[in-house]
Amino acid sequence: YEDINFSTKDDAEKEITAEKFKQLLNSMNVSYKIISANQYSNLDNFKKDVLQKAVSREYEPLARAYNKVVRDRLYDGNGRNGIEQVRIFIITCLKQDYESAKSFFNTMEASLTLSFKKLGSGLIPLDASQRLRALHCFYRMGKEDLYEFDWDEYIYMKRDWRNDIVNTG
């Protein structure tokens, strides 16, 4: 989920937001975990994705100024060491079959999306491949670019994904 921006709130608003988050967690009737972890961020890829290239010579000074602002902000915070914080909200439940579980999680996702939006945050659902990538980044920090995963290959070869995602040492 996305971070809640507390920097623009006064103490009373922070208290209200924290209370709403507490109520949200207390109202859930399923098992859940919240993981907050540091993750290596490839600054070269980030710069390539975010920094602007001038579309013409006349806009070159504007692009340089924009890029300077982005670089300054990047190096002001944790960006200087390539670390970003990720927050993961994990929900588990037991259902009798796949369709029941799918229906439950769709309903839960809709409800949580609305609740997180009210808190000034956002929920970003992950599919199975994205979850495995997150685990790979967590367990193999600094080797994020080495992530490769093909469901069909793992099923065909009857390989265990945990051997390639989780550190074995």
Side-chain angles (χ1 to χ4, degrees):
Y1 63 93
E2 296 173 347
D3 197 9
I4 299 170
N5 185 1
F6 279 102
S7 63
T8 59
K9 298 181 184 223
D10 63 20
D11 289 340
E13 290 173 319
K14 289 177 186 178
E15 187 78 26
I16 291 168
T17 302
E19 185 61 33
K20 285 180 185 177
F21 191 64
K22 182 176 134 186
Q23 288 173 357
L24 167 68
L25 297 177
N26 286 337
S27 70
M28 297 183 60
N29 59 354
V30 294
S31 296
Y32 66 88
K33 284 185 180 183
I34 298 175
I35 297 174
S36 183
N38 291 332
Q39 182 174 319
Y40 174 74
S41 177
N42 187 324
L43 292 179
D44 294 331
N45 289 345
F46 177 79
K47 288 176 186 175
K48 186 173 63 175
D49 291 342
V50 173
L51 297 181
Q52 300 291 315
K53 291 178 178 60
V55 291
S56 68
R57 279 189 162 273
E58 67 181 288
Y59 291 111
E60 227 171 271
L62 185 60
R64 274 197 305 272
Y66 171 81
N67 291 342
K68 182 182 179 336
V69 169
V70 169
R71 280 191 192 99
D72 290 348
R73 298 291 158 113
L74 180 65
Y75 293 113
D76 281 348
N78 287 337
R80 98 182 88 220
N81 55 14
I83 302 293
E84 65 180 336
Q85 190 177 63
V86 292
R87 287 151 306 281
I88 303 172
F89 193 71
I90 302 170
I91 298 172
T92 57
C93 75
L94 291 174
K95 294 293 177 185
Q96 291 185 355
D97 56 38
Y98 173 78
E99 289 304 317
S100 298
K102 185 177 176 182
S103 175
F104 171 81
F105 282 118
N106 286 339
T107 303
M108 182 62 79
E109 180 183 326
S111 173
L112 286 174
T113 299
L114 184 62
S115 296
F116 273 84
K117 188 174 183 177
K118 288 179 182 176
L119 290 169
S121 179
L123 199 60
I124 305 165
L126 301 179
D127 63 21
S129 295
Q130 292 167 324
R131 286 185 218 130
L132 288 176
R133 176 179 280 287
L135 285 171
H136 181 271
C137 291
F138 180 76
Y139 285 110
R140 299 185 182 268
M141 192 168 179
K143 298 179 181 177
E144 290 82 358
D145 294 340
L146 300 178
Y147 175 77
E148 285 185 29
F149 192 82
D150 181 3
W151 281 109
D152 295 330
E153 177 186 337
Y154 276 76
I155 291 170
Y156 177 75
M157 308 262 311
K158 296 182 180 167
R159 289 175 55 187
D160 187 350
W161 61 268
R162 292 172 287 197
N163 292 332
D164 294 324
I165 301 295
V166 179
N167 255 343
T168 57

